[in-house]
């Protein structure tokens, strides 16, 4: 198979042990670097001066990157991209002082998006989600997770997951689907959350058998599902061999992180109210902390996730858009890089690892998120001279080109 060389670039490999010396370079920076691509895979990564002559001779195509910075393709590991309608009216209400939980209790919030999602056809849902997806792609996203959770009945959860799969088939992006049937209580089950969990447990194997589920998630919160109910769902996921993740400790500490960790969760997400025990359990289980500064900002929260505690326990941190109509109507992962730094005090290096290496880990994907031989050839050329500039600028999009599975997108 023919090889392609990319040269005249600085690499941010995001590998902790990259560089020419034994000393780890920040961002895994490789000045004057080169990439050799074979098909959809990276074959060689390093300083151009160290590229073996024999390998270079096999490169039938060469791309001069014009001095660009090259990072791994970005991974958005937590989105609710597929939904009907919007919640701008609720935004106005909240600006007048009505709380998010109060709106949810009044039948607005997630429930209003459920009504709009059920009313929408699959092509309508796909068209609206594709508009959002195009924004993410324009900023270099090459893998994203899409959750269901606004259908809350078998046919509608299926419709949303099928739309998610179709988005992946029709765009040059890898889509991982997550079944979030336990997102909220649908109106027909009002006051019967255990009975609704029974229904969720009936949906899961059906959707899984249809090849629509890569992972299972729940919203463990006082306005959603209890730890005991969440545990029933996780048992069912485990029986099917499906990995789990959890919306945990977003609005209160319900011990969701410990529960998720006890099931070996890929990630626990939000975590503003995470306890020390929760952080320790996550570290033990190898669960990633997915931080969602868009939701924190949009709800004007004041309780920060405990970044220092996460660092102390060695919990890897990812950063994601949480793209959803209610708490983070955000389609810019670059803006999340900035907010992760300004609001959550991540370093730009932590933030960039959060949308590459650690985001891939949060999806259980070992073949992406860093530039290294054997990894997928998903990478982005940026018109910046240093990776910190990706987190620094607000509203800029310095993307030059995205390469997905070895092909310019
Ligand atoms: N937490 C969130 O922030 C979103 N879902 C969740 O479990 C909000 C979803 C919405 O308000 O529509
Ligand atoms: Fe979410």
């Amino acid at each position: 198979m023919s090889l392609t060389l990319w040269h005249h670039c600085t690499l941010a490999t995001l590998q902790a042990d990259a560089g020419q010396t034994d000393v780890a370079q920040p961002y895994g920076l490789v000045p004057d670097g080169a990439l050799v691509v074979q098909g959809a895979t990276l074959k060689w990564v390093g300083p151009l001066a160290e590229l073996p002559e024999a390998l270079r001779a096999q490169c039938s195509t060469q791309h001069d990157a014009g001095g660009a910075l090259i990072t791994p393709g970005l991974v958005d590991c937590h989105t609710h991209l597929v939904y009907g309608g919007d919640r701008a009216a609720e935004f106005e209400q909240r600006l007048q002082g009505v709380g998010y939980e109060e709106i949810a209790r009044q039948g607005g919030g997630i429930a209003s998006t459920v009504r709009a999602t059920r009313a929408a056809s699959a092509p309508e849902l796909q068209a609206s989600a594709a508009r959002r997806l195009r924004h993410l792609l324009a900023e270099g996203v090459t893998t994203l997770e899409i959750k269901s959770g606004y259908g809350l009945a078998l046919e509608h959860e299926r419709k949303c997951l099928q739309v998610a799969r179709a988005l992946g088939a029709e765009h040059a992006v890898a889509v991982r689907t997550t079944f979030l049937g336990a997102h909220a209580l649908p109106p027909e089950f009002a006051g019967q959350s255990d009975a609704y969990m029974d229904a969720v447990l009936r949906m899961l194997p059906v959707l899984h058998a249809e090849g629509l589920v890569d992972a299972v998630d729940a919203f463990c919160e006082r306005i959603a599902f209890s730890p005991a109910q969440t545990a029933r769902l996780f048992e069912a996921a485990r029986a099917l061999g499906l990995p789990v993740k959890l919306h945990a400790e977003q609005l209160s500490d319900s011990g969701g992180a410990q529960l998720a960790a006890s099931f070996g969760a890929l990630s626990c997400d939000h975590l503003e109210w995470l306890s020390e025990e929760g952080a320790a359990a996550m570290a033990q289980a190898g669960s990633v902390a997915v931080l969602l500064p868009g939701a924190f900002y949009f709800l004007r929260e004041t309780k920060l996730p405990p970044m220092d505690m996460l660092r102390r326990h060695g919990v890897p941190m990812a950063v994601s858009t949480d793209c959803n109509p209610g708490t983070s109507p955000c389609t810019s992962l670059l803006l999340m890089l900035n907010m992760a730094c300004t609001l959550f005090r991540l370093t730009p290096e932590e933030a960039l690892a959060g949308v590459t290496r650690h985001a891939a880990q949060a999806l259980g994907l070992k073949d992406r998120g860093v530039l290294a031989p054997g990894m997928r050839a998903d990478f982005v050329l940026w018109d910046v001279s240093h990776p910190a500039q990706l987190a620094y600028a607000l509203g800029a999009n310095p993307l030059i080109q995205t390469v997905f599975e070895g092909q310019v997108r």
Side-chain angles (χ1 to χ4, degrees):
M1 193 184 291
S2 69
L3 304 182
T4 302
L5 171 67
W6 291 79
H7 64 98
H8 191 191
C9 53
T10 299
L11 304 177
T13 67
L14 274 300
Q15 275 204 301
D17 57 357
Q20 299 170 51
T21 67
D22 290 342
V23 180
Q25 306 293 312
Y27 302 92
L29 268 184
V30 182
D32 202 6
L35 297 172
V36 177
V37 176
Q38 181 170 36
T41 308
L42 292 173
K43 186 170 178 64
W44 191 91
V45 177
L48 181 64
E50 293 178 16
L51 176 64
E53 203 40 57
L55 193 57
R56 186 172 191 152
Q58 288 176 53
C59 293
S60 50
T61 312
Q62 301 205 2
H63 292 279
D64 181 334
L69 175 80
I70 299 187
T71 67
L74 305 190
V75 177
D76 195 353
C77 66
H78 179 142
T79 87
H80 309 246
L81 198 77
V82 177
Y83 60 81
D86 72 85
R87 305 247 285 278
E90 178 185 316
F91 178 55
E92 290 187 314
Q93 248 187 310
R94 284 201 299 104
L95 289 173
Q96 283 157 17
V98 188
Y100 176 74
E101 291 182 69
E102 196 177 333
I103 290 170
R105 286 197 196 92
Q106 290 166 3
I110 295 178
S112 76
T113 300
V114 172
R115 285 190 291 276
T117 303
R118 287 178 172 183
S121 68
E124 286 165 347
L125 290 173
Q126 192 170 330
S128 67
R131 280 196 290 278
R132 293 186 278 273
L133 178 59
R134 281 193 284 273
H135 288 287
L136 293 169
L137 299 186
E139 289 188 350
V141 169
T142 52
T143 295
L144 88 156
E145 186 246 24
I146 301 178
K147 302 174 193 294
S148 67
Y150 289 115
L152 307 186
L154 180 62
E155 62 173 308
H156 297 293
E157 288 290 292
R158 175 190 284 130
K159 175 175 67 176
C160 293
L161 291 168
Q162 285 173 340
V163 166
R165 284 276 190 251
L167 288 166
E170 291 174 18
H171 296 81
V173 67
V175 169
R176 303 293 291 175
T177 58
T178 297
F179 174 59
L180 179 56
H183 191 194
L185 208 54
E188 61 275 20
F189 281 92
Q192 308 170 65
S193 58
D194 284 322
Y196 178 63
M197 188 54 83
D198 293 339
V200 170
L201 295 179
R202 287 192 296 273
M203 290 179 220
L204 175 59
V206 177
L207 297 171
H208 174 56
E210 293 172 14
L212 292 171
V213 181
D214 297 324
V216 174
D217 190 356
F219 189 17
C220 185
E221 190 56 65
R222 57 194 175 203
I223 56 167
F225 298 94
S226 68
Q229 290 166 333
T230 304
R232 291 182 62 206
L233 175 66
F234 283 1
E235 296 283 2
R238 177 148 68 191
L240 293 171
L242 285 167
V244 301
K245 53 178 67 191
L246 190 64
H247 282 72
E249 341 303 15
Q250 179 184 5
L251 308 170
S252 60
D253 177 14
S254 56
Q258 291 96 304
L259 171 73
S262 75
F263 283 87
L266 290 174
S267 69
C268 299
D269 304 34
H270 287 289
L271 299 175
E272 278 81 348
W273 294 82
L274 180 69
S275 66
E276 187 92 41
E277 296 73 30
M282 287 176 66
Q284 184 93 42
S287 306
V288 176
V290 178
L291 305 180
L292 303 165
F296 176 89
Y297 165 81
F298 199 69
L299 292 179
R300 301 162 80 199
E301 296 285 356
T302 51
K303 174 109 173 131
L304 286 164
M307 285 74 59
D308 282 338
M309 190 197 285
L310 291 167
R311 289 185 186 108
R312 220 173 343 99
H313 285 276
V315 178
M317 294 183 281
V319 173
S320 169
T321 59
D322 193 14
C323 177
N324 79 70
T327 64
S328 192
C330 170
T331 51
S332 173
L333 198 51
L334 290 178
L335 180 60
M336 295 304 97
L337 276 185
N338 177 274
M339 287 192 182
C341 298
T342 52
L343 297 176
F344 289 174
R345 297 284 185 265
L346 264 60
T347 66
E349 187 180 4
E350 286 174 326
L352 190 58
V355 297
T356 53
R357 187 172 80 228
H358 294 154
Q361 191 180 337
L363 295 177
L365 300 172
K366 296 186 165 68
D367 61 351
R368 68 199 78 186
V370 297
L371 299 176
M375 293 283 157
R376 283 166 64 102
D378 294 348
F379 54 89
V380 185
L381 279 64
W382 305 97
D383 183 15
V384 300
S385 55
H386 190 276
Q389 289 166 5
L390 295 174
Y392 156 75
L394 282 166
N397 182 3
L399 182 135
I400 302 168
Q401 220 165 30
T402 302
V403 176
F404 177 73
E405 292 183 321
Q407 303 291 319
V408 174
R409 185 161 76 181

